[in-house]
Amino acid sequence: MTGVASPQPRPARFPFAMCTHHSETFARRRSAFLDAMAVASPSSVAVLPAAPVFVRNNDVDHEYRQDSDFFYLTGFDEPESVLVLDAQDRKATLFVRPRDKDREVWDGPRAGVDGAKALGADEAFVVSELDEKLPTMLQDKRRVYYRLGASRRFDDRLLGAIDRVKGRQRLGHTAPTEIVDPGAVLHEMRLRKSPVEIETMRTAAHITREAHELAMRRTRPGMHEYEVEALLLDTFRRHGSERPAYGSIVGSGPNACVLHYRKNDRRIDGGELLLIDAGCEFGYYASDVTRTFPVGRDFSREQQAIYELVLHAQEEGIAATRPGATLDEIHRLDVDIITRGLVGFGLLTGDVKELIEKETYKRFFMHRTSHWLGMDVHDVGAYFESGKPRRLEPGMVLTVEPGIYIAPDDDSVPPQWRGIGVRIEDDVLVTTAEPEVLTAGIPKTVDEVRRACAT
């Protein structure tokens, strides 16, 4: 972002990871993408448009956030931009908004053509020239890497450009015959994080840690969920996070049993559990953390029993996050632990193996244990290879987040168990040896949570 004021110095605890995102980082990514394009089809071009601007209401737009693929390759966060990569000429061309003094008074400075070149583009043009120049860039190419369906409006522009190339066939030119989703290559690149990306994610995790710790210290009976959410958002922004990585979930009492609860408007009563699922985005990389803790009092016997069962499953899941393992194996491990525990509590009855086979456990544990994490909170990258769960490799980052949710109106269980919702989630980096928990240090054991809530 630009502005006249000098940035305030950050606390030493939160290194400014974005300073490592130099233009060379993006140039290396483009080069690797071009290499993969050339191997698959030397005669190919990639066309990647920026994220569109969405209207919030009337003449007010939603806060702008650049498309992750586009930013991954360019580091450019302006809308109305298009990146074109030519595998044969190994050339990167950016189409961008022109400098416009009148609009810049309202919306802030624009990079313009010169700024785009400074970012490392081999060529740059104003975006109004795209329709004129794109057909020439596509002609005599066999394959176009482009994501059809993401923007129907841009689909029409690209397909129109291909039609114009077809009109030049009498002049000896050929039109592309293949359109391939660039994610087939690009998302595999994004799945394996570089040292720069990992350091940025560590910073996002550190900021998120402080936010969760503050929420534990400050939450009291009588507060509303949105007051706790405000503590989280304030902490994110104070440490340079651009935005939350997703809508924060602050669910108290029965709301902790709603997986994607977002209203955050209920008054918190003493003795209830508060489930907070919140993480910041820093340098375009997400953190994703869930903690659950009692408000105003200690855990009840039943709350602590459920909590310790979820924690045991989570710790075992993290320990299993090693090269060669699969997300399915981690999930099956957690399902087995949770199902056995629920049988031990009398909340499920029957043979454990049969309960798992029939998925009876889904009454209380209905979601998966893990997902990829990166620039998107539910990050890109295939979960299966050749129809089989893919094996973990060093550099991958994922969440481990088992949970148990006992609906407040579930009259099949004794009253003291009803309305208990617990999820515990951390961000885990796969390494060549022990997994690295990026979000380590956020209070998680029963004793740690008690101490954090008592301060």
Side-chain angles (χ1 to χ4, degrees):
M1 294 184 67
T2 55
V4 295
S6 298
Q8 295 298 310
R10 282 177 170 74
R13 183 179 176 190
F14 303 111
F16 189 24
M18 273 300 287
C19 69
T20 59
H21 281 59
H22 295 304
S23 59
E24 292 85 356
T25 296
F26 302 103
R28 284 195 298 271
R29 292 172 181 173
R30 290 193 297 272
S31 180
F33 186 36
L34 285 165
D35 288 343
M37 288 171 58
V39 168
S41 177
S43 179
S44 61
V45 170
V47 180
L48 294 98
V53 174
F54 292 102
V55 174
R56 178 183 182 273
N57 60 296
N58 197 13
D59 60 349
V60 177
D61 296 330
H62 280 285
E63 175 193 1
Y64 186 73
R65 201 273 190 186
Q66 186 58 276
D67 175 80
S68 294
D69 285 344
F70 187 90
F71 190 86
Y72 182 80
L73 291 173
T74 65
F76 193 58
D77 62 359
E78 291 188 21
E80 300 177 58
S81 308
V82 180
L83 172 67
V84 180
L85 295 171
D86 188 314
Q88 194 165 1
D89 295 337
R90 298 192 65 82
K91 185 167 68 174
T93 304
L94 267 174
F95 293 85
V96 300
R97 300 179 303 180
R99 297 295 306 272
D100 184 327
K101 289 185 178 180
D102 291 337
R103 286 312 315 166
E104 289 179 44
V105 168
W106 290 89
D107 304 323
R110 297 179 175 184
V113 169
D114 290 338
K117 289 180 179 178
L119 279 171
D122 298 302
E123 289 186 326
F125 304 97
V126 295
V127 73
S128 59
E129 297 183 58
L130 176 68
D131 292 332
E132 173 193 345
K133 294 185 178 296
L134 188 56
T136 300
M137 302 173 87
L138 297 177
Q139 71 185 20
D140 302 323
K141 305 298 183 185
R142 183 170 68 87
R143 174 178 291 184
V144 179
Y145 284 91
Y146 173 76
R147 184 183 174 191
L148 281 169
S151 168
R152 296 301 293 271
R153 184 176 179 181
F154 201 92
D155 289 353
D156 291 341
R157 295 183 76 177
L158 178 75
L159 296 174
I162 292 174
D163 281 342
R164 287 192 288 279
V165 177
K166 290 177 180 177
R168 301 175 182 179
Q169 289 177 338
R170 291 183 180 181
L171 301 176
H173 295 296
T174 58
T177 57
E178 301 176 2
I179 298 178
V180 177
D181 190 330
V185 175
L186 192 54
H187 292 175
E188 290 301 296
M189 291 172 55
R190 284 177 51 190
L191 179 58
R192 300 166 180 85
K193 273 57 177 182
S194 69
V196 166
E197 293 174 282
I198 292 168
E199 191 57 38
T200 306
M201 295 185 75
R202 287 193 183 107
T203 303
H206 291 161
I207 296 171
T208 298
R209 171 182 174 176
E210 179 159 309
H212 278 267
E213 290 175 338
L214 181 64
M216 290 181 184
R217 286 198 308 271
R218 296 276 295 275
T219 302
R220 295 291 182 268
M223 291 176 66
H224 286 79
E225 294 163 340
Y226 53 73
E227 295 178 80
V228 182
E229 180 184 16
L231 294 173
L232 301 167
L233 298 179
D234 175 71
T235 305
F236 293 165
R237 290 297 286 148
R238 278 191 297 109
H239 293 296
S241 162
E242 302 92 341
R243 58 189 70 86
Y246 51 96
S248 301
I249 298 168
V250 184
S252 61
N255 293 336
C257 298
V258 181
L259 300 186
H260 285 171
Y261 174 72
R262 289 285 305 280
K263 212 170 182 183
N264 297 352
D265 64 353
R266 182 178 178 274
R267 183 181 182 274
I268 305 168
D269 291 330
E272 294 182 329
L273 293 180
L274 180 64
L275 186 154
I276 298 177
D277 187 338
C280 77
E281 180 177 304
F282 185 85
Y284 271 80
Y285 285 81
S287 179
D288 185 4
V289 173
T290 306
R291 290 294 186 267
T292 309
F293 57 91
V295 177
R297 304 177 200 163
D298 197 359
F299 290 98
S300 71
R301 184 178 68 85
E302 291 78 17
Q303 288 171 346
Q304 183 169 335
I306 294 296
Y307 187 92
E308 290 181 330
L309 175 57
V310 173
L311 179 61
H312 174 52
Q314 201 235 10
E315 290 176 334
E316 291 298 313
I318 290 173
T321 304
R322 295 173 178 272
T326 70
L327 299 190
D328 271 25
E329 290 169 353
I330 295 169
H331 182 62
R332 287 198 302 270
L333 173 64
D334 279 8
V335 164
D336 184 79
I337 291 170
I338 285 176
T339 304
R340 290 180 185 278
L342 292 173
V343 170
F345 298 154
L347 298 175
L348 288 176
T349 58
D351 177 72
V352 170
K353 184 177 180 181
E354 186 175 335
L355 291 170
I356 292 173
E357 288 176 351
K358 293 183 177 180
E359 298 186 333
T360 309
Y361 64 88
K362 284 191 173 181
R363 278 181 52 201
F364 304 113
F365 178 26
M366 60 289 292
H367 59 77
R368 301 286 292 180
T369 301
S370 302
H371 59 76
W372 304 133
L373 183 70
M375 297 185 78
D376 303 328
V377 68
H378 293 156
D379 208 30
V380 296
Y383 286 86
F384 289 81
E385 292 182 315
S386 303
K388 296 180 180 180
R390 79 182 305 158
R391 300 288 172 182
L392 297 179
E393 301 172 26
M396 295 177 174
V397 179
L398 57 137
T399 63
V400 179
E401 50 176 309
I404 294 175
Y405 317 89
I406 306 172
D409 59 353
D410 188 346
D411 57 10
S412 69
V413 303
Q416 65 268 27
W417 295 97
R418 297 174 196 167
I420 296 176
V422 175
R423 181 165 65 252
I424 305 172
E425 175 184 23
D426 282 296
D427 306 340
V428 185
L429 168 67
V430 183
T431 74
T432 56
E434 296 283 335
E436 178 186 342
V437 181
L438 300 177
T439 47
I442 306 174
K444 185 166 65 171
T445 68
V446 169
D447 286 343
E448 288 170 347
V449 169
R450 282 174 175 150
R451 286 194 295 270
C453 294
T455 55

